[in-house]
């Protein structure tokens, strides 16, 4: 538990900054909706005629004049990119920073095994991601209530759950990568998150690229599909979480045998 508390203290400032930033953008979007909903149906007609661009963001399947349609696109992109970047930031350098900061000897002289060190660092990552998502979920619901709109609990809950699972998958993958790094490289994690986001856009635009949905976690976070079907795609989620679990397993295997100096 000592290492968990240490990691949480070290990650407190990034946690507060990312949570506040994403939460602020979500709240701004939600508070703008009552002013814009009268114009949204016209905007939706414009978007529906923009071909591949419309399909890339799922705007051809959603009604912008409804809160759920507006939330799925506007707030969904904020949650998706912001949450993915934060998950990658949390996890991609956490196992390599002792070598980067020259504190490896201090860590490894404590009476904990390497396996326990990996477990506690992983727990710290999961706690931060979970805490951020709980705060954002509560903030979104509170902001919708403050505008006087009816809260679409089912749709909002499914969307937030999908993005939470996306972040867990990405965190697992980046956590595995971190075990192979001698110097925590934030750029690698952010690059992976951005790449997976754009792979999903490509899969939406071209039928021949639909297989990319099985690679990117953004494939099971499509707001249009979630709202239309009222459920998440379990097969894609299980595949994605399996990739995240494989990353975590790789972290244990590598770090427990790694020559740390």
């Amino acid at each position: 538990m000592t290492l968990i508390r240490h990691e949480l203290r070290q990650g407190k400032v990034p946690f507060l900054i990312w949570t506040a930033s994403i939460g602020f953008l979500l709240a701004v979007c939600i508070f703008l909706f009552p002013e814009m909903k009268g114009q949204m149906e016209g905007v939706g007609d414009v978007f529906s005629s923009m071909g591949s661009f419309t399909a890339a963001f799922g705007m051809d399947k959603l009604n912008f004049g409804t809160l759920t349609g507006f939330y799925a696109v506007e707030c969904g992109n904020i949650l998706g990119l912001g949450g993915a970047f934060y998950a990658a930031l949390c996890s991609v350098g956490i196992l390599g920073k002792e070598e980067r900061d020259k504190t490896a000897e201090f860590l490894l002289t404590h009476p904990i095994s390497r396996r326990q060190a990996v477990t506690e660092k992983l727990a710290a990552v999961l706690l931060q991601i979970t805490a951020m998502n709980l705060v954002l979920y509560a903030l979104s619901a509170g902001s919708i209530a403050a505008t006087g709109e009816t809260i679409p609990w089912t749709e909002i809950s499914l969307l937030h759950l999908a993005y939470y699972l996306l972040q867990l998958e990405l965190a697992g993958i980046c956590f595995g990568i971190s075990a192979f790094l001698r110097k925590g490289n934030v750029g690698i994690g952010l690059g992976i998150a951005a790449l997976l986001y754009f792979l999903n856009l490509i899969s939406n635009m071209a039928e021949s690229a639909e297989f990319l949905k099985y690679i990117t976690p953004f494939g099971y976070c499509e707001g249009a599909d979630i709202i239309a079907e009222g459920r998440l795609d379990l097969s894609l989620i299980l595949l994605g979480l399996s990739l995240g679990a494989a990353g975590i397993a790789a972290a244990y295997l590598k770090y427990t045998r790694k020559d740390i100096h």
Side-chain angles (χ1 to χ4, degrees):
M1 292 297 291
T2 301
L3 190 52
I4 294 177
R5 288 195 295 269
H6 172 71
E7 293 294 344
L8 292 178
R9 282 196 300 269
Q10 282 202 326
K12 180 174 65 175
V13 172
F15 170 81
L16 292 174
I17 291 174
W18 280 87
T19 302
S21 300
I22 298 172
F24 173 75
L25 291 174
L26 283 176
V28 168
C29 279
I30 292 168
F31 282 113
L32 283 175
F33 176 73
E35 302 295 327
M36 300 175 65
K37 66 179 178 181
Q39 309 167 26
M40 283 295 102
E41 291 192 18
V43 171
D45 292 338
V46 173
F47 282 143
S48 65
S49 62
M50 295 177 67
S52 296
F53 177 83
T54 304
F57 295 95
M59 293 183 292
D60 54 334
K61 304 175 185 177
L62 293 169
N63 181 0
F64 268 42
T66 65
L67 177 61
T68 52
F70 181 81
Y71 191 94
V73 175
E74 300 297 336
C75 296
N77 280 318
I78 294 169
L79 280 170
L81 276 175
F85 285 154
Y86 179 70
L89 178 70
C90 275
S91 54
V92 77
I94 198 166
L95 291 179
K97 66 181 181 180
E98 271 74 30
E99 291 183 272
R100 180 196 66 199
D101 298 336
K102 309 300 181 184
T103 57
E105 291 183 5
F106 175 77
L107 172 64
L108 298 178
T109 54
H110 282 66
I112 61 172
S113 66
R114 290 194 184 190
R115 183 173 294 275
Q116 184 181 348
V118 174
T119 300
E120 294 199 19
K121 284 174 175 284
L122 176 61
V125 170
L126 298 180
L127 283 171
Q128 291 175 89
I129 292 173
T130 301
M132 184 187 74
N133 279 273
L134 289 174
V135 171
L136 295 178
Y137 180 74
L139 179 63
S140 292
S143 298
I144 293 171
T147 63
E149 298 286 333
T150 300
I151 302 174
W153 286 110
T154 300
E155 292 84 355
I156 295 298
S157 298
L158 286 174
L159 285 168
H160 278 261
L161 176 59
Y163 285 113
Y164 175 58
L165 295 174
L166 174 151
Q167 293 162 35
L168 293 183
E169 178 186 341
L170 189 56
I173 293 170
C174 290
F175 190 76
I177 292 172
S178 73
F180 294 84
L181 301 177
R182 294 204 176 274
K183 296 181 180 179
N185 194 323
V186 173
I188 293 176
L190 298 182
I192 291 172
L195 174 63
L196 293 175
Y197 177 77
F198 284 107
L199 286 179
N200 185 60
L201 296 185
I202 293 170
S203 73
N204 287 340
M205 289 189 290
E207 289 186 8
S208 59
E210 283 187 358
F211 70 92
L212 293 174
K213 286 190 178 293
Y214 293 94
I215 299 174
T216 170
F218 287 92
Y220 55 76
C221 295
E222 285 290 342
D225 295 334
I226 292 172
I227 291 173
E229 299 176 15
R231 61 180 178 85
L232 303 181
D233 190 323
L234 187 58
S235 60
L236 289 180
I237 288 173
L238 290 176
L239 176 60
L241 293 182
S242 297
L243 294 175
I248 293 171
Y252 276 97
L253 290 172
K254 176 63 178 178
Y255 197 79
T256 52
R257 303 173 183 178
K258 188 178 182 180
D259 179 19
I260 300 176
H261 51 78

